[in-house]
Amino acid sequence: MSYLSNTKFDVIIVGAGPAGSTAAYTLAKNGLRVVVLERGRTAGSKTLYGGRVYSKPLEEVYENFRKEAPIERWVKKERFSFMSNGELLTLEYSSTDSTSFTAYLSRLASWMAQKAEEAGAVIVTDIRVDDLYLEDGVVKGVRCGDEVLRSNVVVDAEGVNRLILERFGMVPKLEKRQVALGLKQVIRLDASKIEGRLGLAAGEGLAWLIVGEATGYLPGGSFLYTNSSTISLGLVVFLEEAYQNINQHVFNILEDLKQKQSIKEVIADGVVIEYGAHLTPEMGLGMSPKKMYGDGLLIVGDAAGLLLNLGYTIRGVDFAAYSGYLAAKTILKAHSMGSYNSESLSFYQKLLEESFIMKEMKKHKKITKLMRSNEMFTIYPGILLDTVKKLFEIEYSSPTILQALRNSIKGKTSLLKLLWNIFRTFF
Amino acid sequence: MPLNIIVCIKWVPNTQIVNIDPNTGTLIREGVPSIINPHDLNAVEMALRLKEKYGGVVTAVSMAPMSAKTGLEFVIGMGVDRAILVSDRVFAGADTLATSYTLSKVIEKLRPFDILIFGQETIDSSTAHIGAQTASWLRVPYLYYVVDVEYINGVVRATRRLEKKIEVYELPTPCLLAVAMKSNEPRPVKLSHKLRAKMENVIEVWTNNEVGLKRECIGLRGSPTVVEKCIVTPSVPRKKQRFDGQDVREAVKWLVDRLIEDEGLKII
Ligand SMILES: Cc1cc2nc3c(=O)[nH]c(=O)nc-3n(C[C@H](O)[C@H](O)[C@H](O)COP(=O)(O)OP(=O)(O)OC[C@H]3O[C@@H](n4cnc5c(N)ncnc54)[C@H](O)[C@@H]3O)c2cc1C
Ligand SMILES: Cc1cc2nc3c(=O)[nH]c(=O)nc-3n(C[C@H](O)[C@H](O)[C@H](O)COP(=O)(O)OP(=O)(O)OC[C@H]3O[C@@H](n4cnc5c(N)ncnc54)[C@H](O)[C@@H]3O)c2cc1C
């Protein structure tokens, strides 16, 4: 074991995703000596997501965020669709204002890392952290191969597959039911085609979530986001359900979706230029470590389970970045007091509780449950489309809405159960 | 005497991502991240093993735009001691003649050197010229496809693997070796080395002020090669057909049927 003795940092951050880089940026800006260790070739090279980020929390952290960040399009149009038998029932919302934007996460994350570097943080890529380094049970640095780098505090921002925390015994091994599998393709397409086909004005963005047939009726959802001259198309399926029910490779589900008329029209003559897959936490607070801090340790972003999947939207990047920001604030306070024990770092948990992150996660606790009720994905899309079909495809007589709904439900579920499910989700 | 080892690496566009402009036939480099020519990592690994075994200093040299700093940081991370980035607008547009000339002049400034180590070829041009040409400019012996090397009593003993035989050569120093691709496993980056690269500003940038070469010998002006024409082979559009069953035999039958019926394959 060799100790790197001539360099000592105040803070070591593991992982240069949105969480890690935002913590680094905030700390470096306030004069602390920070190093970020990232196993990827560049910051952002190992992250993958769907495509849309909520802006406000980031604007609070980064000055001039709107001007400088690598934003592709501001989302002006939201779509949510049920898909069944190739037919779509879509709710569309067009807004004059917008609170979210599309971006490539690789570019956004590398922009954040660059901000951190400019503020004075040292970003070291190609380095995998193997373990936390402890002295008398207190985290005092990290181990990389046979080397130890010391610091006063370590911020774990390693993302959803938190092997370091597992080895440290802070969290149990990930279970299938705790995560979802996401995969996506980036499809190059002229800006004018994107805008023309989706009814967008120049520069405007669209976020589109689809459930039902779009994931092969598996719990989860498919997504389509517009970038400047590409489309991000992909899906997220709950791993456990997918594991039990799929008898083919998941990428076939995505290929099937691309063959559906409604999607085919949008991506016609586009060229796939990138594809990838990644896990995402799905248990909400159910997979967070009991404490998000320890002696000399703070846990942020996906590693802390801070992600909200509402079905019609995912909030991961803004939560991750903001939790990194709160961790940095905690460390600054601890630094001024000269103590990094778990008592002074517990301030992080307090900041989290008071922030929108925990409030949001608690408020929408029930959604995780509903997201897993199979009916939402297997039966309801069919019922809804059937009902709508009966309403709109008139030959001689037209049914009332209730008649149409009753008829479509027959033999599948009870009207009462359907209404109750809707009620308990949204109220 | 510790060995003075120089290893040359090229910063290339990642040709796995790169697309070809169907009209001009040239690579579209814009927006494509560059990487170290993968075969040059084998050269770096060989240089580091020599250093470990016999003692010495390893200097990496690359002629490239400033973005190649990242690549040089990587090889310092692997354990290279010194890195020189030869970077100046006047070097741009070089063919192999101008490239090897420039590299040889840089290397001359690093005398006395013992062993020059090059990759076998690059993934973006793959001429495999540069090693041989550089050796010729410097009037040193060279050997290609080297898989292993020893340094015994002032003599370099290099092994190379050809298709049907293994050859062992003895060369005097200084000499140049071009390492066979994939002949060793390049080591991962070490934290202490990478930190040094990051924090101590170790990469030296040499412009033509430092190298001092005549304009007509370098860059585009010093490059007699002219690419007259590039012909792009058209890509065949995918038919997007899929076999959905489980049985391998059925799958093969389906595939053969498709090839016979749709593509006119004849079985004779
Ligand atoms: C398919 C999919 C779609 C999504 N869609 C959206 C969306 O539209 N909007 C949204 O806001 N969020 C979305 N998310 C969630 C979002 O991507 C994450 O919440 C966010 O990236 C979390 O940031 P992070 O910094 O915590 O972790 P990550 O972004 O995962 O970063 C972790 C970093 O740590 C590095 N690392 C890991 N282990 C080590 C180690 N041992 N040593 C060194 N480095 C290490 C990794 O290489 C990585 O760079 C989606 C996720 C998926 C999978
Ligand atoms: C027919 C032809 C015409 C060309 N015309 C032009 C042109 O007009 N304009 C133009 O810009 N380019 C041109 N090129 C590309 C240019 O010649 C090469 O990129 C460059 O000279 C290096 O040659 P290479 O990549 O084939 O290297 P190789 O000879 O395949 O490389 C062997 C080894 O030499 C070393 N090496 C190679 N390049 C460098 C470097 N820059 N720095 C340090 N070490 C290095 C590495 O160790 C490498 O593994 C042309 C190439 C060809 C084949």
Side-chain angles (χ1 to χ4, degrees):
Chain A
M1 193 72 49
S2 77
Y3 295 88
L4 309 181
S5 46
N6 49 350
T7 30
K8 172 144 188 207
F9 291 94
D10 297 313
V11 189
I12 295 171
I13 295 169
V14 183
S21 290
T22 304
Y25 167 72
T26 310
L27 288 164
K29 213 173 64 169
N30 287 285
L32 262 64
R33 287 153 45 89
V34 191
V35 64
V36 185
L37 305 178
E38 164 61 48
R39 70 189 160 135
R41 179 103 334 154
T42 59
S45 62
K46 292 242 176 211
T47 54
L48 179 133
Y49 85 144
R52 172 250 291 275
V53 180
Y54 290 91
S55 166
K56 256 273 136 46
L58 299 177
E59 288 171 43
E60 189 186 328
V61 178
Y62 293 96
E63 285 151 35
N64 290 328
F65 182 80
R66 281 186 172 240
K67 277 214 190 82
E68 291 178 25
I71 290 165
E72 292 287 315
R73 290 171 183 264
W74 286 94
V75 175
K76 288 281 173 70
K77 200 179 260 192
E78 304 274 353
R79 275 189 192 167
F80 181 81
S81 300
F82 289 94
M83 184 185 267
S84 182
N85 292 324
E87 295 174 331
L88 279 183
L89 172 62
T90 299
L91 188 69
E92 182 170 305
Y93 170 68
S94 302
S95 146
T96 47
D97 196 15
S98 83
T99 56
S100 66
F101 59 88
T102 60
Y104 298 105
L105 185 56
S106 53
R107 288 194 197 154
L108 185 61
S110 88
W111 178 83
M112 288 173 169
Q114 189 195 324
K115 280 279 156 193
E117 204 161 26
E118 283 164 15
V122 180
I123 315 267
V124 189
T125 54
D126 296 302
I127 295 293
R128 193 189 71 215
V129 172
D130 294 316
D131 276 306
L132 297 171
Y133 167 72
L134 278 77
E135 279 174 9
D136 303 323
V138 176
V139 177
K140 286 279 185 191
V142 296
R143 287 173 202 267
C144 305
D146 59 1
E147 296 183 313
V148 169
L149 184 65
R150 282 194 251 211
S151 66
N152 292 322
V153 55
V154 174
V155 177
D156 187 309
E158 64 178 317
V160 56
N161 202 5
R162 43 200 187 180
L163 299 173
I164 297 173
L165 290 182
E166 273 178 26
R167 277 194 292 269
F168 185 50
M170 193 100 175
V171 294
K173 224 168 129 49
L174 271 189
E175 291 170 38
K176 285 200 275 298
R177 62 184 183 86
Q178 292 177 315
V179 290
L181 174 66
L183 61 157
K184 83 162 177 181
Q185 298 186 350
V186 178
I187 299 166
R188 187 167 56 213
L189 197 64
D190 290 346
S192 58
K193 285 186 181 160
I194 293 177
E195 287 154 6
R197 291 172 187 178
L198 292 163
L200 299 165
E204 284 185 1
L206 163 107
W208 188 0
L209 274 295
I210 312 171
V211 298
E213 197 183 12
T215 57
Y217 300 103
L218 285 169
S222 291
F223 55 80
L224 186 154
Y225 298 102
T226 56
N227 298 309
S228 299
S229 47
T230 60
I231 279 180
S232 297
L233 179 69
L235 50 88
V236 175
V237 286
F238 289 89
L239 195 57
E240 180 151 85
E241 285 80 353
Y243 183 73
Q244 282 166 3
N245 298 311
I246 290 191
N247 45 15
Q248 54 175 338
H249 200 295
V250 275
F251 64 62
N252 285 337
I253 301 179
L254 187 53
E255 289 301 327
D256 283 341
L257 178 63
K258 287 172 73 180
Q259 298 303 322
K260 294 282 179 290
Q261 197 53 31
S262 43
I263 301 298
K264 208 171 173 173
E265 283 165 0
V266 175
I267 58 172
D269 50 66
V271 180
V272 177
I273 54 170
E274 201 183 301
Y275 55 84
H278 204 280
L279 290 180
T280 174
E282 286 296 346
M283 281 293 280
L285 294 171
M287 69 174 283
S288 295
K290 281 198 191 67
K291 287 190 324 187
M292 302 199 193
Y293 57 90
D295 286 315
L297 178 70
L298 287 170
I299 306 167
V300 295
D302 273 8
L306 300 175
L307 178 134
L308 189 60
N309 184 351
L310 288 173
Y312 56 90
T313 195
I314 295 184
R315 297 187 70 175
V317 172
D318 60 328
F319 278 25
Y322 204 80
S323 68
Y325 172 66
L326 296 180
K329 276 182 139 182
T330 304
I331 293 169
L332 289 169
K333 187 161 179 265
H335 185 72
S336 67
M337 300 189 314
S339 159
Y340 299 93
N341 63 17
S342 79
E343 197 190 325
S344 50
L345 294 182
S346 69
F347 185 57
Y348 171 57
Q349 195 104 21
K350 185 165 173 287
L351 289 180
L352 266 182
E353 300 284 346
E354 287 166 2
S355 76
F356 69 95
I357 298 178
M358 281 309 202
K359 288 185 184 149
E360 283 285 289
M361 299 219 21
K362 285 187 176 150
K363 184 161 71 195
H364 299 292
K365 231 170 159 174
K366 279 181 283 185
I367 197 107
T368 349
K369 222 167 160 188
L370 181 95
M371 290 287 294
R372 311 199 75 100
S373 88
N374 282 333
E375 290 130 358
M376 186 75 183
F377 306 92
T378 50
I379 308 177
Y380 294 176
I383 292 176
L384 282 167
L385 277 147
D386 226 33
T387 309
V388 175
K389 202 181 171 90
K390 290 194 171 86
L391 284 178
F392 291 118
E393 292 186 5
I394 299 167
E395 284 176 339
Y396 294 102
S397 72
S398 55
T400 66
I401 293 188
L402 204 62
Q403 277 169 342
L405 188 61
R406 280 228 168 89
N407 270 330
S408 309
I409 283 175
K410 221 171 258 166
K412 293 177 185 142
T413 181
S414 76
L415 185 58
L416 220 67
K417 193 166 174 206
L418 177 87
L419 293 174
W420 167 241
N421 261 339
I422 292 172
F423 179 81
R424 72 174 178 152
T425 312
F426 294 104
F427 304 100
Chain B
M1 272 287 281
L3 288 172
N4 185 6
I5 304 162
I6 297 169
V7 57
C8 283
I9 62 172
K10 188 180 179 191
W11 189 237
V12 298
N14 191 342
T15 49
Q16 287 184 318
I17 306 176
V18 104
N19 282 298
I20 293 177
D21 186 325
N23 299 318
T24 62
T26 52
L27 297 183
I28 307 171
R29 289 167 194 253
E30 195 219 331
V32 177
S34 287
I35 55 172
I36 299 170
N37 177 40
H39 311 319
D40 296 351
L41 293 177
N42 298 120
V44 174
E45 178 62 29
M46 182 170 284
L48 293 173
R49 287 184 191 180
L50 270 172
K51 169 188 153 177
E52 277 165 358
K53 216 161 157 190
Y54 307 105
V57 175
V58 176
T59 305
V61 174
S62 187
M63 179 175 103
M66 288 302 283
S67 65
K69 264 195 161 172
T70 320
L72 289 171
E73 277 171 10
F74 185 90
V75 297
I76 290 177
M78 287 174 74
V80 163
D81 302 287
R82 181 180 176 195
I84 298 166
L85 177 56
V86 184
S87 196
D88 194 320
R89 288 218 66 84
V90 301
F91 297 135
D95 65 5
T96 59
L97 185 73
T99 303
S100 61
Y101 177 72
T102 311
L103 287 176
S104 68
K105 291 296 171 187
V106 170
I107 291 168
E108 266 177 9
K109 292 198 179 294
L110 301 173
R111 277 188 199 281
F113 52 82
D114 300 297
I115 306 178
L116 307 174
I117 305 189
F118 280 60
Q120 176 184 315
E121 61 186 61
T122 58
I123 57 167
D124 68 329
S125 291
S126 44
T127 64
H129 289 177
I130 302 294
Q133 290 182 356
T134 307
S136 305
W137 288 115
L138 293 166
R139 299 180 180 282
V140 301
Y142 66 90
L143 191 70
Y144 268 58
Y145 311 112
V146 173
V147 295
D148 198 16
V149 59
E150 288 171 299
Y151 181 67
I152 301 161
N153 301 329
V155 174
V156 174
R157 180 184 292 224
T159 307
R160 69 168 178 180
R161 191 163 288 147
L162 300 179
E163 260 169 42
K164 288 193 176 147
K165 56 188 171 187
I166 290 169
E167 296 177 343
V168 181
Y169 286 81
E170 283 188 353
L171 298 93
T173 55
C175 65
L176 186 148
L177 308 175
V179 180
M181 56 169 86
K182 302 192 169 98
S183 59
N184 55 32
E185 183 65 38
R187 65 194 62 194
V189 159
K190 225 175 157 139
L191 178 57
S192 48
H193 296 320
K194 195 83 194 270
L195 268 176
R196 182 174 82 91
K198 272 284 171 190
M199 299 181 70
E200 291 172 21
N201 218 1
V202 284
I203 293 158
E204 300 163 42
V205 179
W206 290 15
T207 64
N208 200 28
N209 289 337
E210 282 77 26
V211 195
L213 302 179
K214 290 206 190 80
R215 291 290 290 268
E216 57 266 33
C217 300
I218 55 172
L220 199 53
R221 276 174 64 188
S223 298
T225 317
V226 177
V227 179
E228 196 190 86
K229 196 174 173 190
C230 279
I231 301 163
V232 184
T233 48
S235 66
V236 183
R238 288 170 180 241
K239 291 217 165 131
K240 295 182 178 157
Q241 300 181 34
R242 200 172 79 203
F243 175 78
D244 272 324
Q246 297 279 340
D247 189 70
V248 179
R249 281 172 189 281
E250 266 175 47
V252 173
K253 183 172 180 319
W254 180 85
L255 191 64
V256 173
D257 287 348
R258 292 281 75 66
L259 290 172
I260 293 173
E261 284 162 29
D262 306 347
E263 311 298 327
L265 179 83
K266 285 197 184 73
I267 296 182
I268 40 176

